């Protein structure tokens, strides 16, 4: 009789242990998921910032904006950004009016983790100042 | 009886060990979740600081090009103030203060040094010290940086009388520098003084060649005819570098 009770307690203990382990796994999972998302977003941000700085080398981006050459900007972005990244670029002037009358985009940005990068651009010739907002997302 | 007592102690020890493991795991996970935000913040800060440095550098190039082409010296301060207010008003992650100081250390005055000499040296330069202060509820970052945009040229010229009377070969060597390193130029125009002292463009002569060595060194050679020899003939080079910054240098031909 005593041995039988001891066995039941062992079984209960085993169940409790299983509950504790699975509980811990379930609790920590959202944190790791958000950590993964954050790393993804950091990578996207780094890619976007590097691409904008590369485009802006020697003031090329400012010149293209002043010339309203959206096609050239779009093709350069498509070349510089890795495959699997969709983007949308919006150009604002000093009064924050949108300048690009045609969308500068590629792919779908309806994904969950969209990264937005704001970048100040100067045109060397006209000395005009612009803000570009580059939105990036991984294509799922 | 003794066995039962020991079993109880072991259970207590096991429970304490498990509690310790669970607690340390919880603390570890909490620390990871706390570290996510600052890294993200530092990345944005680094990106923003890099952007401001590039923007101020490009703006200074444009301003120097403008001033060296006849623009007003005051446009350096005016346009940097424009950039300052534009950057400060478009920073949304806290407080941003961008301040600048135009270099006043000789030979600079109001951040500019434009000297187009007659001894074969010409320089167009702008130098400004910046300080960028970014603050939010967590931390404050102060970045100080200096931007110096300089284009200078060194020229030398020789004049050699050829066999035919009245003909002279003029050779001009031009070296172009951006921030002290050899650089290519966009456009070079060479002038020389004739026997009346008037400036004439060498490029319009029939026998004119300009050689580009591809390393910031250029040499020009042209043949001129003047029945009466010219003493202390002057040669002037007008140079636009690839950033459209204009520099002029004048020298006197060495007779060989």
């Amino acid at each position: 009789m005593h041995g039988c009770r001891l066995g039941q307690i062992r079984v209960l203990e085993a169940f409790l242990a299983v509950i504790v382990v699975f509980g811990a796994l379930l609790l920590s999972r959202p944190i790791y998921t958000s950590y993964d998302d954050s790393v993804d977003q950091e990578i996207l941000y780094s890619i976007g910032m590097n691409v904008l700085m590369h485009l802006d080398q020697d003031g090329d981006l400012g010149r293209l904006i002043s010339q309203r050459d959206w096609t050239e900007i779009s093709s350069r972005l498509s070349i510089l950004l890795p495959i699997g990244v969709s983007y949308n670029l919006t150009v604002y002037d000093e009064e924050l009016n949108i300048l690009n009358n045609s969308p500068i985009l590629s792919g779908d940005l309806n994904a969950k983790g969209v990264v937005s990068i704001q970048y100040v651009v100067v045109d060397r010739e006209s000395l005009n100042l612009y803000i570009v907002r580059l939105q990036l997302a991984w294509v799922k | 009886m003794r066995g039962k007592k020991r079993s109880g102690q072991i259970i207590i020890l096991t429970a304490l060990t498990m509690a310790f493991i669970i607690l340390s795991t919880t603390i570890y996970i909490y620390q990871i979740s706390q570290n996510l935000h600052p890294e993200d913040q530092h990345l944005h800060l680094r990106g923003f600081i890099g952007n401001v440095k590039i923007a101020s550098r490009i703006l200074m190039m444009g301003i120097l090009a403008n001033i060296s082409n006849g623009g007003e010296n005051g446009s350096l301060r005016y346009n940097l103030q424009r950039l300052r207010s534009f950057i400060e008003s478009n920073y949304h992650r806290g407080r941003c203060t961008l301040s600048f100081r135009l270099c006043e250390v000789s030979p600079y005055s109001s951040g500019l040094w434009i000297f187009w000499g007659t001894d074969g040296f010409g320089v167009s330069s702008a130098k400004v010290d910046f300080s960028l202060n970014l603050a939010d509820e967590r931390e404050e970052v102060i970045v100080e940086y200096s931007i110096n945009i300089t284009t200078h040229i060194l020229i030398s010229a020789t004049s050699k009388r050829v066999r035919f009377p009245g003909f002279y070969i003029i050779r001009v060597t031009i070296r172009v520098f951006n921030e002290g390193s050899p650089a290519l130029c966009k456009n070079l125009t060479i002038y020389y003084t004739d026997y009346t002292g008037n400036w004439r463009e060498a490029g319009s002569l029939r026998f004119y060649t300009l050689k580009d060595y591809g390393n910031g060194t250029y040499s020009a050679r042209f043949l001129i005819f003047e029945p009466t020899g010219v003493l202390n003939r002057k040669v002037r080079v007008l140079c636009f570098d690839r950033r459209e910054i204009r520099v002029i240098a004048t020298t006197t031909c060495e007779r060989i």
Side-chain angles (χ1 to χ4, degrees), chain A residues 99-114:
Chain A
L99 286 182
N100 53 314
N101 40 21
S102 59
I104 308 167
L105 55 85
S106 161
D108 185 21
L109 273 181
N110 290 327
K112 198 174 69 178
V114 178

Side-chain angles (χ1 to χ4, degrees), chain A residues 33 37 41 109-115 136-138 140:
Chain A
T33 312
D37 282 352
Q41 295 209 336
L109 273 181
N110 290 327
K112 198 174 69 178
V114 178
V115 170
L136 297 173
W138 294 107
K140 297 286 178 187

Side-chain angles (χ1 to χ4, degrees), chain A residues 60-70 123 125 130:
Chain A
D60 261 7
L61 186 56
R63 181 179 55 82
L64 290 172
I65 292 173
S66 281
Q67 292 169 353
R68 307 290 190 265
D69 197 346
W70 315 125
D123 176 34
E125 280 177 33
Y130 305 101

Side-chain angles (χ1 to χ4, degrees), chain B residues 4-253:
Chain B
K4 268 192 178 178
K5 265 187 181 174
R6 272 190 189 163
S7 166
Q9 286 168 354
I10 288 166
I11 287 169
I12 289 166
L13 276 174
T14 314
L16 281 173
T17 313
M18 281 186 72
F20 177 74
I21 291 168
I22 290 168
L23 196 68
S24 55
T25 311
T26 313
I27 290 168
Y28 173 69
I29 291 169
Y30 179 74
Q31 277 180 342
I32 286 177
S33 67
Q34 286 298 299
N35 283 337
L36 292 177
H37 187 66
E39 278 176 19
D40 194 39
Q41 194 76 354
H42 286 145
L43 194 71
H44 282 93
L45 273 180
R46 278 204 303 272
F48 181 74
I49 292 164
N51 179 201
V52 172
K53 283 183 180 177
I54 291 175
S56 37
R57 189 168 178 275
I58 292 172
L59 185 68
M60 277 181 60
M61 278 181 201
I63 298 167
L64 184 60
N66 185 284
I67 292 171
S68 65
N69 281 290
E72 283 188 25
N73 287 9
S75 74
L76 180 62
R77 185 182 294 278
Y78 169 74
N79 283 295
L80 287 175
Q81 277 169 347
R82 264 180 65 222
L83 179 74
R84 179 174 71 183
S85 52
F86 188 64
I87 283 174
E88 284 177 356
S89 58
N90 284 293
Y91 184 74
H92 308 298
R93 288 177 178 270
R95 185 172 50 81
C96 168
T97 314
L98 177 68
S99 53
F100 63 88
R101 202 175 60 247
L102 307 182
C103 183
E104 292 293 350
V105 179
S106 181
Y108 287 89
S109 170
S110 301
L112 293 166
W113 176 32
I114 294 176
F115 174 78
W116 297 338
T118 52
D119 58 347
F121 173 73
V123 60
S124 296
S125 176
K127 192 178 176 190
V128 177
D129 298 318
F130 291 88
S131 175
L132 178 65
N133 186 321
L134 302 169
D136 61 10
E137 69 275 9
R138 280 166 171 266
E139 59 185 338
E140 185 175 7
V141 179
I142 300 170
V143 183
E144 292 191 337
Y145 62 98
S146 179
I147 292 182
N148 184 346
I149 306 290
T150 303
T151 299
H152 81 267
I153 60 170
L154 296 170
I155 65 164
S156 59
T158 59
S159 169
K160 187 182 177 186
R161 196 172 182 166
V162 293
R163 274 185 299 170
F164 305 103
F167 281 96
Y168 296 87
I169 289 180
I170 312 287
R171 285 191 175 88
V172 187
T173 306
I174 305 129
R175 287 188 293 153
V176 184
F177 300 87
N178 281 167
E179 283 82 63
S181 304
L184 298 176
C185 74
K186 197 173 181 181
N187 192 12
L188 268 180
T189 315
I190 298 170
Y191 301 90
Y192 65 96
T193 47
D194 63 9
Y195 66 98
T196 58
N198 289 328
W199 289 103
R200 292 184 177 276
E201 193 183 327
S204 60
L205 292 170
R206 199 171 164 193
F207 299 101
Y208 170 85
T209 54
L210 179 68
K211 193 173 176 184
D212 178 359
Y213 291 91
N215 58 359
T217 302
Y218 300 82
S219 76
R221 186 169 170 268
F222 51 93
L223 186 71
I224 53 174
F225 172 72
E226 270 170 10
T228 54
V230 177
L231 216 66
N232 297 330
R233 186 191 304 280
K234 294 201 183 313
V235 168
R236 177 171 288 171
V237 175
L238 165 63
C239 167
F240 287 91
D241 74 357
R242 294 176 90 88
R243 310 176 290 190
E244 302 279 346
I245 297 168
R246 186 168 74 143
V247 192
I248 297 172
T250 308
T251 191
T252 307
C253 281

